[in-house]
Amino acid sequence: MENYEALVHRTFGGQRPDVRDPKVLAWLIRRNGLEMTHLSRGSHIGSVFSVAEIIAVLYARILKVDPRNPKMPDRDRLILSKGHAGSAVYAALAETGFFPVERLKTHYADGSTLSGHVSHKGVPGVEVSTGSLGHGLGIGVGMALGARMDGASWRTYVVMGDGECDEGAVWEAALQAAQYGLDRLIAVVDYNHMQSLTTVEETLRLEPFEAKWRDFGWNVRSVNGHDPEALEQAFVQAKEAAGSGKPNMILAHTVKGKGVSFMENNILWHYRTPQGGEYEAALKELEAERP
Amino acid sequence: MRDAFVRVLLESMAANDRIVLITGDLGFGVLRPVWERFPKQILNAGIAEQSMVSMAAGLAATGRTVLVYSIGNFPTLRPLEQIRNDCAYHGADVKIVCVGGGFVYGSLGMSHHATEDQSILRALPGVTCFTPGDPAEAEWAVREALRTPGTCYLRLGRANEPKVHASALPDVRGPLSLTLQTGGDLAILSSGGILTQAVEAARLLAEKGIRAEVVSFPSLKPLDEAKVKELLDRFRRIVTVEENTVVGGFGSAVCEIAAEAGTGCRVRRIGLEDTYSTVVGSQQYLRQVYGIDGPSIAGKAEAFLHE
């Protein structure tokens, strides 16, 4: 197999992609996500494509993290609570220098530490291992509490799924975050309206979703989750809400499978692995859209 | 045991402001001195045990020792996956504290009877388990849990239990086992608050001329394996007692060692026989009903000796 990094970067014609540009980083998340799920015959590509801009904006523009010092004490903490989109975070970490891009090809492989669901063991930059849904917000509440007890300025970010909000523990943590007034906690829901078997609406309805979070005592912003500028603005506003005494929720309206026409809003691509002609077609579409 | 816990906790919090306790909306009177003296080191998570344990893991990730306090099965079985994934897998310095192990809340019913937690928590990698048998053992166990890095489980009894040990235990590092009396005919191995019944059984056996050695194991995991092996070498009959199901708990732990050691010593587990409680009553009443009070243990041990 040709050098993995050269393969996923080939459309940049030898130029180093500018990963501080969220559009570029989002594209790289999708390109790596496609390659990783293709090589590993892995799943959840639809979720990776859905969350790509959210993760890209966080790593390119928002998070105070240092790839050369992943354990920097005053770093921002990111918890990917929808751990099944782990390859999006792995890709963002590799592309921003936490570990070699080449390592991404070991995703799912025998003996690899890049597990299907995001893992912190042996992966610099990952704070918390997840995979069972509904844990991340509670962990984030604890981290935000700890930061406040220390008088620290860093923030805690939790990226959740909409289907994940079926879990009761999410709402336990939602109550706790509001009760403790954790205004340096910023959660974002990748609201693509699809879960494992069918749509959110046909499973457990979340609407009126914005009102739910507001009624739980959160500051809420709804944005287009594929618009990097809108996302960045929402994150900046959420950061500025420190002092409001309320935790912050960003409802990012997204499309599952975003970026490849035949994957968009198609539940099949929660689990299906891109192989053969489907892989080729997806690659062609992605490469045509490279920013 | 509960009072010993609070005493050591207050002492430890005074010495270390990075010790935090989260309660699941329980401990009204018990935790009052903590609220009064260390209001910045105690939080109420509400009746939300799953998130409480996740929160504890997150708080521990900021360099704190976090105790999670509740009763019965609420801090263990309810948030079991949070203990496994968020705490143990991350090596989080979280101490799960259960007050009311076994039939302490006897009259409250099956939901409040913690009778499988020893087995289930023991099965989790990365969880150090303490099941003290009396207030002195509890005091040792709380100190030991606080200085043991990572996730621990502390199964306590209630308040005002009888003392088995006359004085405080030596401040040694675990795994700990304590020989209460020596005897040549059989050994009774006990873990947890059932210790008083093990001692009572030994007394009843002595009246019949049967000399039982009684050893308490406040460290459930890791177990003092060397001590168990020594007992397996010295005795032909060992009885284990616990206020917990016989499936997978303390007795099973002893059997695992016995089977691998192959010394020829037989082991009989005494505990709940793979069943839930269906009646209520005082702790002592339920121990009698389920065959784990002193006379029941003595009867089973004697029969086993003559098999």
Side-chain angles (χ1 to χ4, degrees), chain A residues 77 119-121 127-130 132-147 149-150 154 167-169 172-173 176 180, chain B residues 18 20 22 40-41 43-52 54-62 64 78 81-82 85-86 88-91:
Chain A
R77 269 64 163 182
S119 173
H120 75 292
K121 297 228 172 180
E127 300 287 343
V128 170
S129 297
T130 57
S132 176
L133 296 170
H135 291 228
L137 192 60
I139 298 172
V141 166
M143 286 183 174
L145 268 169
M149 287 175 176
D150 288 334
W154 54 268
E167 293 281 2
E172 294 181 2
Q176 288 158 339
Y180 306 141
Chain B
R18 299 194 79 79
V20 176
I22 310 178
K40 291 183 177 163
Q41 288 168 257
L43 275 165
N44 188 352
I47 307 161
E49 292 83 6
Q50 296 180 66
S51 182
M52 167 168 72
S54 295
M55 190 199 302
L59 201 47
T62 65
R64 289 177 167 78
R78 181 66 177 249
E81 196 190 55
Q82 283 80 4
N85 296 8
D86 305 350
Y89 187 65
H90 290 83

Side-chain angles (χ1 to χ4, degrees), chain B residues 5 61 151 156 169 249:
Chain B
F5 165 70
T151 304
L156 302 176
L169 303 181

Side-chain angles (χ1 to χ4, degrees), chain A residues 93-145:
Chain A
L93 289 170
E95 294 289 0
T96 57
F98 281 82
F99 56 84
V101 171
E102 204 60 24
R103 193 176 155 191
L104 294 175
K105 72 181 177 200
T106 70
H107 186 232
Y108 272 64
D110 291 350
S112 175
T113 47
L114 297 184
S115 52
H117 293 82
V118 74
S119 173
H120 75 292
K121 297 228 172 180
V123 188
V126 177
E127 300 287 343
V128 170
S129 297
T130 57
S132 176
L133 296 170
H135 291 228
L137 192 60
I139 298 172
V141 166
M143 286 183 174
L145 268 169

Side-chain angles (χ1 to χ4, degrees), chain A residues 46-200:
Chain A
S47 311
V48 172
F49 283 11
S50 170
V51 83
E53 276 79 14
I54 296 168
I55 298 298
V57 169
L58 282 165
Y59 278 96
R61 313 293 294 177
I62 301 295
L63 293 179
K64 194 173 61 182
V65 290
D66 181 356
R68 286 153 305 178
N69 186 11
K71 292 280 177 195
M72 179 174 74
D74 65 343
R75 69 191 182 281
D76 287 332
R77 269 64 163 182
L78 170 72
I79 299 165
L80 180 73
S81 194
K82 51 175 295 179
H84 53 282
S87 46
V89 166
Y90 294 148
L93 289 170
E95 294 289 0
T96 57
F98 281 82
F99 56 84
V101 171
E102 204 60 24
R103 193 176 155 191
L104 294 175
K105 72 181 177 200
T106 70
H107 186 232
Y108 272 64
D110 291 350
S112 175
T113 47
L114 297 184
S115 52
H117 293 82
V118 74
S119 173
H120 75 292
K121 297 228 172 180
V123 188
V126 177
E127 300 287 343
V128 170
S129 297
T130 57
S132 176
L133 296 170
H135 291 228
L137 192 60
I139 298 172
V141 166
M143 286 183 174
L145 268 169
R148 188 171 67 189
M149 287 175 176
D150 288 334
S153 61
W154 54 268
R155 288 174 172 80
T156 306
Y157 295 84
V158 182
V159 178
M160 298 152 65
D162 48 7
E164 179 178 9
C165 293
D166 294 356
E167 293 281 2
V170 167
W171 301 100
E172 294 181 2
L175 289 170
Q176 288 158 339
Q179 183 73 30
Y180 306 141
L182 299 175
D183 51 19
R184 287 176 179 272
L185 175 67
I186 301 173
V188 47
V189 170
D190 176 11
Y191 196 11
N192 59 34
H193 297 262
M194 289 213 162
Q195 46 194 95
S196 178
L197 295 182
T198 180
T199 62
V200 165

